Amino acid sequence: MKYKFASPKNLDIFLKTPEKYSPQYGGYCAYAVAVKSKKVNSDPETFEIRDGKLYLFYNSWGTNTLELWKKENVKGLQKKADQNWEAIKN
């Protein structure tokens, strides 16, 4: 994964605790990982920060998976995505 920083100061902050700023599931769509157990590209402008973690979502062709994520059982989706990610992350 590639990162860009607005300043050296922001880079330093990131390097101290990268896990705090890195998106879940390798930056793939959290909803797709949870529901389909698939790596689907995400839109970096479609995101949610929940429980101190960054989740990214697909948002194209009239489908915004962040909206679907919020309509369904988020805690259940998070749990399912965590399980699915262990199987597909490599």
Side-chain angles (χ1 to χ4, degrees), residues 13-78:
I13 292 169
F14 174 82
L15 291 175
K16 288 178 185 173
T17 55
E19 65 282 353
K20 181 177 177 181
Y21 301 98
S22 297
Q24 300 300 295
Y25 318 122
Y28 292 102
C29 173
Y31 187 80
V33 171
V35 174
K36 297 183 179 187
S37 193
K38 292 192 175 186
K39 295 177 183 177
V40 174
N41 289 334
S42 60
D43 174 357
E45 294 183 6
T46 307
F47 68 92
E48 176 181 55
I49 298 173
R50 183 179 291 268
D51 302 325
K53 296 179 181 180
L54 173 62
Y55 296 88
L56 300 178
F57 298 89
Y58 175 87
N59 186 5
S60 189
W61 296 95
T63 302
N64 182 337
T65 59
L66 174 56
E67 292 174 0
L68 299 172
W69 175 266
K70 288 181 176 180
K71 286 181 184 177
E72 297 181 26
N73 174 3
V74 173
K75 290 294 182 189
L77 289 171
Q78 284 175 306

Side-chain angles (χ1 to χ4, degrees), residues 25 33 37 79-90:
Y25 318 122
V33 171
S37 193
K79 184 176 180 179
K80 186 68 174 164
D82 289 345
Q83 293 169 349
N84 290 346
W85 184 245
E86 287 304 313
I88 66 171
K89 67 182 175 183
N90 294 323

